[in-house]
Amino acid sequence: MHKNEIIDFFDKCSEFWDENMITCDDKMNEIMDAAGIGAGAGVLDIACGTGVMFDYYLKRGVLNITGVDISEKMIKIARKKFAKNSRINLICGDADTISFKDTFDCCVVFNAFPHFINPEGLIRNLKNCIKTQGSLTIAHDNGRRAIDSHHSGEAHSVSRQLMSEDDLERLFVKCNFRVTTKKATDDIYIVSGIKLN
């Protein structure tokens, strides 16, 4: 798996991304709850794509959203969709290395974790972007088996298997997060934790 392959893959997917995206409000709200998304929060959305989560954040009264995606074409679509919203800042960048002057209350990686080459490196870098006692949430609106099956198709060269919730919990703990939510069913996958220091 190489980053240029990942960029090319998602650039090509961007044109049809929104029309292929089906969300379930109950699942999305469960993810929002686990992430602690609420009024006044500053949210960092990693691999934000075209901004699938943004309306859910905004409905909860967040202060601002910073969306980061490695695909320029995904970001271009998101900019067009949310051009009139001053609370949204969009960046085409690499989440493995990105840094910010300020830190965030909540960081969410939604439906994207298997596309990161070095999961521990990603979590360690994101830790630097999160306030102490802020949250990191890695979530999918489907179960591991369905995610792995989906990625075994045309996305096989830009994906890895989704690690078990127990392995991800161990990785969170190793990176100094206290896990507050760990759920993996046939329908949803959520691991969320609080940064200790």
Side-chain angles (χ1 to χ4, degrees), residues 4-103:
N4 285 340
E5 277 185 278
I6 295 167
I7 294 167
D8 289 344
F9 179 84
F10 285 102
D11 277 351
K12 287 173 185 168
C13 290
S14 64
E15 185 180 348
F16 307 104
W17 196 255
D18 284 346
E19 66 187 62
N20 291 330
M21 183 60 60
I22 300 169
T23 58
C24 167
D25 287 350
D26 288 346
K27 290 182 188 181
M28 300 299 263
N29 284 316
E30 184 173 357
I31 292 165
M32 298 284 113
D33 290 343
I37 305 293
V43 177
L44 176 61
D45 186 325
I46 293 296
C48 68
T50 61
V52 171
M53 300 288 278
F54 292 178
D55 285 332
Y56 290 96
Y57 301 140
L58 293 168
K59 284 176 188 172
R60 289 184 174 227
V62 299
L63 180 65
N64 53 55
I65 302 162
T66 297
V68 177
D69 202 284
I70 203 167
S71 163
E72 182 66 52
K73 290 188 178 180
M74 289 283 195
I75 289 292
K76 185 177 179 181
I77 293 169
R79 283 188 179 128
K80 186 175 180 181
K81 286 168 60 178
F82 296 97
K84 295 181 181 177
N85 196 313
S86 61
R87 289 189 286 168
I88 298 173
N89 177 37
L90 292 160
I91 299 167
C92 183
D94 185 348
D96 288 328
T97 58
I98 200 163
S99 62
F100 298 92
K101 185 172 75 172
D102 298 316
T103 51

